[in-house]
Amino acid sequence: MSKHTPGPWTARQQFANRWLIEKDQGTNDAGEKLIPLCLAAVHITILEVGCGERDTEANARLISAAPDLLEALRGFLSAFPLPLRKDEKEAIEAAKTAIAKAEGRS
């Protein structure tokens, strides 16, 4: 399994076309809020790839949901009863492929 910063992550708009993906670091012993850990900056220039502000925001929110999506997918796989129908087997294979990609195994 790949190592990653555990969730939850949040997406916060910094500028019109720049979003930060951050991990809340909580508070120190004195109760002071610690500076969030910046995991990524999503910055898309309209001229570069044809994306607008809404696309940048959607991409940032999708990235920030990644740890939650991965855990939900793992839970989905463990909850399937047996025997499986063909469409259920296909859904499980798609889920396994997505998990492998997230874990760096594909």
Side-chain angles (χ1 to χ4, degrees), residues 6-87:
W9 298 353
T10 58
R12 178 177 62 86
Q13 188 172 18
Q14 187 179 33
F15 304 112
N17 61 343
R18 181 180 169 96
W19 285 71
L20 300 178
I21 311 304
E22 299 175 323
K23 164 74 173 150
D24 186 357
Q25 296 294 80
T27 57
N28 63 15
D29 292 338
E32 301 165 323
K33 185 165 175 48
L34 297 173
I35 296 172
L37 173 65
C38 183
L39 302 169
V42 180
H43 179 87
I44 297 178
T45 302
I46 295 170
L47 297 174
E48 288 175 355
V49 292
C51 293
E53 289 178 25
R54 279 185 283 185
D55 296 321
T56 304
E57 178 181 357
N59 292 339
R61 294 198 186 287
L62 180 61
I63 293 166
S64 71
D68 303 318
L69 292 168
L70 182 57
E71 286 307 309
L73 205 47
R74 287 178 178 146
F76 165 80
L77 286 180
S78 67
F80 256 93
L82 297 175
L84 300 174
R85 298 185 321 255
K86 182 179 187 257
D87 62 326

